[in-house]
Amino acid sequence: LYGTVRRFLSTVQLNPFPTELVRNLLNEPASVKVDEVVRYEAGYVVCAVIAGLYLLVVPTAGLCFCCCRGHQRCGGPVKTEYKEMACERGTLMTFLLLTTLVLLIGVVCAFVTNQRAHEQMGPSVEAVPETLLSLRGLVSDVPQELQAVAQQFSVPQNRVLKDLDGVAGSIGTAVHTQLRSAVYEMLASLLSLGQALQVSVDHLRALNATLLELREGQQDLEQAVSVHRERLRDLLQKPSCQGCQETLSQAHGLKLGADFSQVPPVDDVLHRLEGVPEANFSSMVQEENSTFNALPLLAPLQLADVVKELKKAVAQQPRGLKTLAKAFPNWEAASRWSQALEKVENSSRPYLKEVQRYEKYRWIVGYVLCSVVLLVVVCNLVGLNLGIWGLSAQRDRSHLEAKGRAGARVLMVGANLSFLFAAPLILLVFSTFLVGGNVQTLVCRSWESGKLYEFVDTPGNLPSSMNLSHLLGLKKNISILLAYQQCRKGAPLWRVLQLNDSYDLEPYLDLSQYSAKLEQELQNLKMDMESLDLLSPAGLRDLKALQSSGLSNIHYPGFLIQTEKPVVNTSVEKLAHDLEGLAHSQGDSVLGKQLQEEAQGLRTLYQEKVLPQQSLVAKLNISVRALAFSAPNLQRETSGVLDRVTRLQGELPAWAARILRNESKCFLAREMGYFSQYVAWVREEVTQHIATCQPLSGALDNGRVILCDMMVDPWNAFWFCLAWCTFFLVPSIIFAIKTSKYFHPIWKRLSSSSSEETQLFHIPRVTSLKL
């Protein structure tokens, strides 16, 4: 619909933009000639003539129609029926229905566009001051916005200060994380070695104590065994002893088996390990582990002073950002620009309020007139329905003729309404057409094509008071069209206004001195690792004593040889058992009793001497085997652990310093990344948002949209639809009057030769009554 209206207006106004006429109107209004205006507005003059003819002809025709109706000479019924009547009636009814449908479509569109124009007028009018306000702040608020951007440096500043609160703990955690595998492994080795040292020393001491007991027990056992051997030999060699030869051979073997006086001595090794272990390796490792795990907590205490200095350095604002807004060119024209726009804004508000008020009146009048057209449509449809109802039925002729008469009357009501409201309809159509059409063809069309910008850019077309370069205080004239095109592409304001040499942004965004100072302060971060000893002096002495003890040089196979020998070569229990059996088989009761007593003595010897000695041998065997298994590797492991501890203790400070340096570099890179992000944001804000003229192009586009798309298009669509309805009222009137004749009762032509005028009455036949 909007496109159709624009094409219609292009047909009405074929002339291009009137440059000379508008120039004279702006600079010398008195020099404008009426004939020039009429010549340019020729299309509108033709439309005005058409509207005048309509305004003259239709009401005049309506007056004549009323007079004819008053004298019953117009719009009356068809007197007689003739052959072509049905065809004529159907044709008229069809044309009336089609005309009514066209009216219905037009009035619906008129209602919609009238409401659309009214709804969009309010927001459009309210958007005008907002657009002017955005233009006013385009230049005048740039220094304040630059100052606000510079103040946003506090955002990365606060982020860095917050990170500095946890940097010491973060560094301590990083050091702990990267050192813990080596430290934990070293402490685990020390704990294992300390436990092995304790076990080995315990076994060595047990070996020595057991060996002393075995030697003492061996002397007592040897004397007792000798006594029992001699007595048994005397008893078993008696002639009266029967069956004693085998037992005698066992008695000869009653001697000691293992000789522990031949095992190598361990006194020298015990002397070297005297007092070992001096240190409690479990407690020592636990303490060192706690010290190492406390690094994340100790680091903030050690680095507190450096972090404090860092915070002082971060809290300072770079010198360039302090002068960012102050160095911006002080435009003298900013106040004139702001005052001019403020004046336009203030002066436009009363006119905008008047526009809203008159728009409300137009909306009410348009609503009423659209309702009248809709009423005409309803009358036509109702009249057609009643008339068709009256013509279609066959029964109750008088009742159906009444329906036809009612349909004819309703059609005449619609025709009378059309005559009555034709004048206000055409007046409203032409007034809105004249305003909306000229705005569309004179302003919107030239605005959209760029002719309006070309007119403004041409020197001499605008008075000096309206010159944009003069308002901005620029030395060179700028092209509005070129500035608009550059602004739409997002060009910076100083490029459009040719101010590139007045303001260089990069020196004010240079943070190299700021970052150098932070880097210098970060180099002072140091951690003390001396509290982490790993191995206490007592533990070191214990391990060195173990290393030089010669524990692995003891001849353990000599011990094992003796422990594998029996304590007594002959089984004492078996010998005692054999003696008891031999005693019972003797004929000599005295000898049998002596053998019985000797068997009992051997059992006592076994319980009191042999069994304890065997227990000591078993205990000695355990210690010897344990030492023989662990001693060869223990001293080698001790040497390796001592070397690793010494190397790790020497490397820990340098290792921690390297980790601290890397963490400091990462921290500095991360924090400077915040500042770099801020600098990039400032550069984008200043060049793309704050110091750009996109608000100018946006304001111009918004102004065109507000005036042309939101206000003029629905306004023009409304008068177009209303004109559509207004001009289609003429055929509606004609077809309604013509059609109404065929809805009245029609007298049929008589078959006789006499005319209708002579056959006015029908006398019924008289019939006789029967009693």
Side-chain angles (χ1 to χ4, degrees), residues 350-361:
Y351 293 106
L352 295 175
K353 290 182 179 179
E354 290 296 318
V355 167
Q356 284 185 303
R357 186 164 66 90
Y358 284 114
E359 164 59 23
K360 185 176 181 180
Y361 296 153

Side-chain angles (χ1 to χ4, degrees), residues 499-519:
L499 296 175
N500 295 327
D501 299 332
S502 303
Y503 190 79
D504 188 9
L505 187 62
E506 293 305 321
Y508 304 99
L509 301 180
D510 186 11
L511 301 181
S512 57
Q513 295 181 351
Y514 188 75
S515 61
K517 188 174 183 180
L518 291 180
E519 186 176 2

Side-chain angles (χ1 to χ4, degrees), residues 232-248 578-579 582-583 585-588 591-592 594-595:
L232 283 174
R233 187 183 300 170
D234 292 339
L235 289 175
L236 294 174
Q237 288 179 353
K238 289 182 178 182
S240 59
C241 186
Q242 300 176 1
C244 297
Q245 293 301 320
E246 184 179 354
T247 306
L248 180 61
D578 292 345
L579 287 175
L582 189 61
S585 63
Q586 296 298 321
D588 189 353
L591 181 59
Q594 290 176 345
L595 291 173

Side-chain angles (χ1 to χ4, degrees), residues 292-601:
F292 178 69
N293 289 335
L295 278 180
L297 300 177
L298 295 175
L301 300 177
Q302 295 181 9
L303 304 177
D305 295 336
V306 180
V307 171
K308 186 177 180 181
E309 294 298 324
L310 275 170
K311 286 185 175 181
K312 289 182 180 179
V314 171
Q316 298 176 1
Q317 190 176 21
R319 185 180 305 172
L321 288 176
K322 292 180 181 179
T323 59
L324 177 65
K326 296 180 181 179
F328 195 79
N330 186 14
W331 294 346
E332 297 178 357
S335 59
R336 293 202 304 272
W337 168 267
S338 179
Q339 290 173 2
L341 287 175
E342 185 177 7
K343 183 178 179 180
V344 173
E345 179 185 348
N346 293 332
S347 61
S348 66
R349 292 184 183 276
Y351 293 106
L352 295 175
K353 290 182 179 179
E354 290 296 318
V355 167
Q356 284 185 303
R357 186 164 66 90
Y358 284 114
E359 164 59 23
K360 185 176 181 180
Y361 296 153
R362 184 208 62 80
W363 175 74
I364 294 173
V365 172
Y367 189 84
V368 171
L369 294 178
C370 288
S371 300
V372 171
V373 176
L374 182 61
L375 186 58
V376 171
V377 171
V378 172
C379 289
N380 287 349
L381 293 177
V382 172
L384 280 173
N385 286 329
L386 290 174
I388 293 171
W389 190 1
L391 294 172
S392 61
Q394 300 295 330
R395 299 177 180 177
D396 196 1
R397 187 70 183 177
S398 61
H399 179 69
L400 296 173
E401 288 176 354
K403 297 292 185 182
R405 291 191 188 95
R409 291 191 186 98
V410 172
L411 288 177
M412 297 309 296
V413 169
N416 292 331
L417 286 174
S418 299
F419 283 124
L420 183 62
F421 286 93
L425 276 170
I426 196 64
L427 288 176
L428 179 62
V429 167
F430 184 73
S431 60
T432 53
F433 159 72
L434 187 63
V435 176
N438 274 294
V439 173
Q440 173 64 35
T441 56
L442 189 63
V443 179
C444 293
R445 188 169 63 185
S446 57
W447 196 341
E448 187 174 359
S449 64
K451 298 293 183 181
L452 198 60
Y453 294 119
E454 294 178 4
F455 174 81
V456 174
D457 286 338
T458 304
N461 285 346
L462 295 178
S464 58
S465 60
M466 298 177 65
N467 187 276
L468 181 61
S469 300
H470 175 73
L471 288 175
L472 291 175
L474 301 176
K475 297 180 180 180
K476 299 175 64 176
N477 289 330
I478 62 172
S479 171
I480 300 298
L481 179 59
L482 180 60
Y484 169 73
Q485 292 173 348
Q486 290 179 333
C487 289
R488 290 197 68 180
K489 295 178 181 179
L493 184 64
W494 40 67
R495 184 192 304 172
V496 176
L497 300 181
Q498 302 177 7
L499 296 175
N500 295 327
D501 299 332
S502 303
Y503 190 79
D504 188 9
L505 187 62
E506 293 305 321
Y508 304 99
L509 301 180
D510 186 11
L511 301 181
S512 57
Q513 295 181 351
Y514 188 75
S515 61
K517 188 174 183 180
L518 291 180
E519 186 176 2
Q520 182 181 0
E521 292 294 337
L522 280 171
Q523 289 178 355
N524 297 326
L525 289 174
K526 293 181 181 179
M527 284 187 64
D528 183 14
M529 300 294 295
E530 295 179 358
S531 59
L532 187 63
D533 292 332
L534 295 180
L535 184 62
S536 65
L540 180 61
R541 287 195 299 270
D542 288 341
L543 294 182
K544 286 186 175 181
L546 177 62
Q547 187 181 22
S548 61
S549 65
L551 185 63
S552 60
N553 296 329
I554 297 176
H555 187 63
Y556 295 106
F559 284 91
L560 295 175
I561 290 173
Q562 298 302 323
T563 56
E564 290 175 356
K565 294 179 180 180
V567 176
V568 180
N569 289 334
T570 301
S571 176
V572 177
E573 282 187 314
K574 185 176 183 302
L575 181 58
H577 183 268
D578 292 345
L579 287 175
E580 287 179 349
L582 189 61
H584 290 299
S585 63
Q586 296 298 321
D588 189 353
S589 59
V590 175
L591 181 59
K593 184 177 180 181
Q594 290 176 345
L595 291 173
Q596 185 73 28
E597 291 175 356
E598 194 62 32
Q600 187 64 33

Side-chain angles (χ1 to χ4, degrees), residues 93-231:
M93 289 169 59
T94 302
F95 279 110
L96 178 60
L97 180 61
L98 292 176
T99 305
T100 304
L101 292 178
V102 173
L103 279 174
L104 179 60
I105 296 173
V107 76
V108 170
C109 293
F111 269 117
V112 173
T113 52
N114 185 46
Q115 186 65 26
R116 178 70 61 86
H118 183 66
E119 289 176 353
Q120 292 191 356
M121 182 62 68
S124 301
V125 169
E126 293 174 359
V128 172
E130 297 177 0
T131 304
L132 294 175
L133 183 62
S134 66
L135 282 176
R136 190 173 68 183
L138 175 62
V139 177
S140 60
D141 294 340
V142 168
Q144 291 81 359
E145 293 178 351
L146 287 174
Q147 182 65 31
V149 167
Q151 291 175 353
Q152 291 300 315
F153 183 75
S154 60
V155 174
Q157 238 179 2
N158 294 333
R159 180 63 184 270
V160 174
L161 290 173
K162 183 179 179 181
D163 289 349
L164 281 174
D165 291 335
V167 66
S170 175
I171 289 176
T173 302
V175 172
H176 177 268
T177 302
Q178 298 186 40
L179 294 181
R180 63 185 178 185
S181 59
V183 172
Y184 285 166
E185 182 182 358
M186 191 70 258
L187 292 177
S189 300
L190 287 174
L191 179 60
S192 176
L193 187 58
Q195 293 173 349
L197 172 62
Q198 182 69 53
V199 171
S200 298
V201 170
D202 290 342
H203 277 299
L204 185 60
R205 288 173 180 168
L207 183 148
N208 187 55
T210 303
L211 186 59
L212 292 177
E213 291 183 17
L214 282 172
R215 286 175 178 174
E216 292 178 0
Q218 185 177 3
Q219 293 177 0
D220 295 340
L221 182 60
E222 185 177 8
Q223 292 178 1
V225 167
S226 298
V227 171
H228 281 285
R229 184 177 65 247
E230 292 301 327
R231 281 207 301 254

